[in-house]
Amino acid sequence: MNRLITEALRNQFDSTFHMARILVKVCPEKIWAASYNEVPFWQQVFHYVYYIDFWMREKIDDSEWRTMIFDDEYTTDLYADSYEGLFISQDKMLEYLDAIQIKTTCLFDNLNDEKLSASVFYNSPLHTYADVIIGQIRHIMYNIGYLNGILRELGLPESDWYAYNEPEGS
């Protein structure tokens, strides 16, 4: 089976995922806990990380798809009425990302170029594996850009651009 396109998408996704992980690591704790435009920084991260977990799976069925389960009070709604009493630490978010990375690695290992055009959800041509992967790359990068903007405005380190095939530490 041909995997040229699959591996290209894996490399792009993994580079994006790497940037998402670095963002969590470089964010100072006081910024992580603070709100910007009424949304806690950590909640913005949880929003896109949760959707990686949701979308990057092999199929929709009755089985549990979440790699980590948080209290149902945690919402991906960025404008929910109250986040009072809710908080996900950076360590817990990194743990969540590590668990998701195992899941996404397995997903890519089981894909090939032919399967990329198969419908993964709802038998819809809008939900092929290729569409889901590209959509997640776009969603993650949008949020990283937004959060990097907050860090940049505060004169803080951010999650720098990372492209695949770079030496570690780049």
Side-chain angles (χ1 to χ4, degrees), residues 9 57-59 107 111 115-120 127-134:
L9 286 173
R57 55 187 164 134
E58 296 207 33
K59 61 184 175 179
L107 175 68
L111 285 175
K115 196 171 179 182
L116 285 172
S117 64
S119 176
V120 63
H127 295 99
T128 65
Y129 285 101
D131 185 65
V132 164
I133 294 164
I134 293 166

Side-chain angles (χ1 to χ4, degrees), residues 9-113:
L9 286 173
R10 179 201 299 258
N11 287 335
Q12 292 299 324
F13 179 84
D14 285 350
S15 293
T16 300
F17 197 87
H18 176 80
M19 291 176 67
R21 196 171 197 317
I22 295 300
L23 179 72
V24 175
K25 289 175 121 180
V26 301
C27 183
E29 285 183 42
K30 67 179 181 177
I31 304 305
W32 182 258
S35 291
Y36 300 89
N37 297 317
E38 300 179 21
V39 177
F41 196 99
W42 69 265
Q43 178 67 23
Q44 189 85 31
V45 173
F46 177 69
H47 166 81
Y48 72 79
V49 172
Y50 177 92
Y51 282 113
I52 299 168
D53 201 9
F54 175 80
W55 285 105
M56 298 296 286
R57 55 187 164 134
E58 296 207 33
K59 61 184 175 179
I60 284 188
D61 61 16
D62 292 336
S63 62
E64 180 59 59
W65 53 266
R66 295 172 293 178
T67 57
M68 281 183 68
I69 298 175
F70 296 90
D71 189 297
D72 287 338
E73 296 288 320
Y74 289 88
T75 177
T76 58
D77 179 357
L78 294 176
Y79 301 100
D81 290 337
S82 174
Y83 297 106
E84 191 174 325
L86 299 179
F87 182 74
I88 298 174
S89 71
Q90 288 165 278
D91 287 341
K92 191 56 83 173
M93 192 64 71
L94 289 169
E95 184 182 331
Y96 191 24
L97 284 165
D98 288 345
I100 291 171
Q101 188 166 33
I102 292 167
K103 178 179 170 178
T104 60
T105 297
C106 185
L107 175 68
F108 277 106
D109 287 349
N110 291 311
L111 285 175
N112 59 55
D113 291 359

Side-chain angles (χ1 to χ4, degrees), residues 150-169:
I150 292 169
L151 296 174
R152 192 176 306 119
E153 191 173 299
L154 297 169
L156 297 167
E158 59 190 78
S159 181
D160 291 328
W161 175 255
Y162 179 84
Y164 60 92
N165 297 323
E166 290 181 352
E168 198 56 39

